[in-house]
Amino acid sequence: MKKMSSKKRKINAKTESKKTKTWAILLVVFCGFLGAIAQLLLKIGSERINESITSIFNLPLLFGFVFYGLATILFIISLKHGEVTILYPIIATSYVWVSLFSSYFLHENITLAKWGGDLLIILGVSLIGYSSKISSNTGVNK
Amino acid sequence: MITPTSSIIIALICAVLGGFAQILFKKGADNLKFDLSMLKNYPLIFGLGLYGLSAVLFIFALRNGELSTLYPIIATTYIWVNLLAVKFLNERMNIYKLSGTALIIAGVILTSVI
């Protein structure tokens, strides 16, 4: 009996520490945003590459990598404060930012199907975010 | 342009490697400290290694294949992360996570194929 209750307490403590913090979720949303800025910069930088080898050292490309690295570091920090099954899918919001940026800054044509896909991604991420608010209350493990 | 099977298989390997990288990131993040102990944070280091390897491999897949075919394959990473997190991190799935993952993958297919 004693053994079981301590085990139960351990499991409870474990689920407690696994709760995904709201600020961790918001930080990953920000990572998705930074990642999209990185994509935009990499696209602009890649178009400046020509026959000359030094053309790969251009500012947009460099900053693209910096933003990419920054997004990765912030994501790892946020992982410390939540479940990977909640936080990783939120990175997909990046697709939505990429659509917005490439339409606004690069004047790319975003088809209705693409916007529809973005909408599905937002719905999916919202569902997963919502589950972080309820899964922490369903105490049973397994 | 038809994407060769070899490119599809490489992209699938990238997705699985990317999934393992996320699990290692999570393991590394749990012991994350911003000091010299980071150099001994092997899950973090291996995670970054796998992440880089996956990115480089994907470039090889892209050389012969179409992005619209290969991107949805990369999106299977969302499935691998869920499976691996349940197996190695004892995280639990629920109907919201499952349907959310399905919606995201459907969304990626819509944004990249059509």
Side-chain angles (χ1 to χ4, degrees), chain A:
Chain A
M1 275 295 262
K2 230 180 182 178
K3 209 175 177 185
M4 244 170 89
S5 67
S6 78
K7 197 177 177 187
K8 205 173 171 187
R9 217 177 299 135
K10 227 178 201 169
I11 288 169
N12 279 342
K14 212 173 174 187
T15 32
E16 186 69 27
S17 71
K18 273 166 68 179
K19 266 190 193 177
T20 304
K21 304 234 170 46
T22 305
W23 70 260
I25 291 179
L26 294 175
L27 186 60
V28 179
V29 172
F30 183 62
C31 290
F33 179 74
L34 281 185
I37 294 177
Q39 299 287 344
L40 180 71
L41 289 169
L42 290 178
K43 169 75 178 162
I44 295 168
S46 70
E47 282 169 357
R48 295 201 187 166
I49 295 175
N50 52 39
E51 292 77 29
S52 136
I53 188 84
T54 52
S55 66
I56 62 167
F57 299 107
N58 66 65
L59 275 184
L61 207 59
L62 183 75
F63 274 99
F65 284 120
V66 169
F67 274 80
Y68 221 77
L70 191 63
T72 309
I73 292 169
L74 291 177
F75 177 67
I76 292 171
I77 292 172
S78 73
L79 271 183
K80 189 172 181 171
H81 304 278
E83 291 180 283
V84 72
T85 48
I86 300 271
L87 297 174
Y88 180 67
I90 297 172
I91 292 288
T93 51
S94 201
Y95 287 94
V96 182
W97 298 116
V98 167
S99 289
L100 290 171
F101 292 165
S102 42
S103 153
Y104 188 79
F105 295 108
L106 305 172
H107 309 291
E108 287 185 12
N109 180 36
I110 311 293
T111 60
L112 198 61
K114 279 195 165 59
W115 289 125
D118 288 336
L119 188 68
L120 286 184
I121 290 171
I122 293 172
L123 281 174
V125 170
S126 307
L127 267 182
I128 292 168
Y130 174 69
S131 92
S132 79
K133 295 297 145 229
I134 47 154
S135 72
S136 48
N137 298 326
T138 57
V140 199
N141 216 25
K142 276 186 184 171

Side-chain angles (χ1 to χ4, degrees), chain B residues 64-90:
Chain B
N64 303 312
E66 280 183 298
L67 192 61
S68 61
T69 310
L70 298 175
Y71 229 89
I73 294 173
I74 291 299
T76 59
T77 305
Y78 296 104
I79 301 175
W80 310 126
V81 167
N82 284 341
L83 287 174
L84 295 169
V86 168
K87 174 107 178 66
F88 295 111
L89 304 170
N90 296 316

Side-chain angles (χ1 to χ4, degrees), chain B residues 87-109:
Chain B
K87 174 107 178 66
F88 295 111
L89 304 170
N90 296 316
E91 290 191 14
R92 279 170 296 158
M93 290 302 289
N94 56 40
I95 191 71
Y96 301 100
K97 289 182 186 175
L98 278 174
S99 44
T101 305
L103 280 175
I104 291 171
I105 292 171
V108 173
I109 292 172

